[in-house]
């Protein structure tokens, strides 16, 4: 048998096959941001939310994606969107990413991958022919009532924000 993937503090990680679809109520959660301040999704009702899951802070692809969101943030906010990034990184590492790249939106820490799993953003991946369990780069657009209007799985880091803006009908 293959070894059980281990998460933070040695806890067993489970793989998910759940995929959320448009029309589904977004699973609620509370996670700490890069400063340790709790952020609760349901507290953002009345606002549109772009929730994106990325594998690891301080890596080239994830940094590119975060910087693309940062650079598009003014127009996304003008269109009524709040952006939240989620990874399984510790709070301190998220603060380092925010400071290094001057990010101006919350980065949330989901160390035990509970929220990743609820959104279907944790599971089996193949990279260079090797299969492993990890974060499935995913983005969800959630409306003001808390309903998912767009669920995008296995997105690419580069060009993702431009593609998302097109899908949202915003200027690229």
């Amino acid at each position: 048998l293959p070894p059980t993937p281990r998460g933070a503090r040695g806890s067993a990680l489970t793989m998910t096959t759940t995929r959320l679809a448009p029309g589904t109520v977004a699973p609620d959660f509370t996670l700490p941001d890069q400063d340790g301040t709790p952020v609760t999704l349901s507290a953002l009702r009345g606002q549109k939310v772009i929730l994106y899951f990325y594998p690891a802070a301080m890596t080239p692809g994830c940094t590119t994606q975060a910087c693309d969101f940062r650079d598009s943030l003014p127009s996304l906010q003008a269109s009524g969107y709040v952006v939240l990034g989620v990874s399984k990184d510790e709070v301190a590492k998220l603060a380092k990413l925010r400071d290094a790249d001057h990010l101006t939106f919350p980065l949330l820490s989901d160390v035990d991958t509970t929220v990743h799993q609820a959104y279907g953003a944790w599971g089996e991946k193949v990279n260079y022919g090797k299969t492993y369990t990890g974060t499935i780069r995913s983005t969800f657009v959630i409306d003001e009532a808390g309903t998912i209007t767009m669920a995008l799985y296995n997105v690419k880091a580069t060009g993702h924000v431009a593609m998302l803006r097109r899908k949202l009908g915003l200027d690229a």
Side-chain angles (χ1 to χ4, degrees), residues 30-47:
T30 299
L31 291 173
D33 71 7
Q34 66 277 354
D35 296 314
T37 304
V39 174
T40 300
L41 182 63
S42 59
L44 298 173
R45 292 276 164 85
Q47 299 176 72

Side-chain angles (χ1 to χ4, degrees), residues 4 12 22 24 58 77 92 99 129 151 153 155 167:
T4 301
T24 305
M58 309 299 291
Q77 289 174 329
D99 295 344
Y153 289 95
V155 300
K167 285 182 177 282

Side-chain angles (χ1 to χ4, degrees), residues 38-110:
V39 174
T40 300
L41 182 63
S42 59
L44 298 173
R45 292 276 164 85
Q47 299 176 72
K48 296 180 280 189
V49 177
I50 296 171
L51 178 68
Y52 81 98
F53 291 83
Y54 61 97
M58 309 299 291
T59 59
C62 297
T63 298
T64 295
Q65 187 178 22
C67 289
D68 284 351
F69 272 115
R70 176 201 64 205
D71 295 346
S72 289
L73 197 59
S75 64
L76 290 170
Q77 289 174 329
S79 297
Y81 291 96
V82 172
V83 174
L84 302 173
V86 182
S87 74
K88 63 185 200 74
D89 293 303
E90 297 280 350
V91 167
K93 190 170 183 183
L94 298 177
K96 186 184 283 190
L97 175 63
R98 178 213 39 215
D99 295 344
D101 293 303
H102 310 287
L103 301 179
T104 54
F105 57 89
L107 301 172
L108 308 180
S109 175
D110 182 28

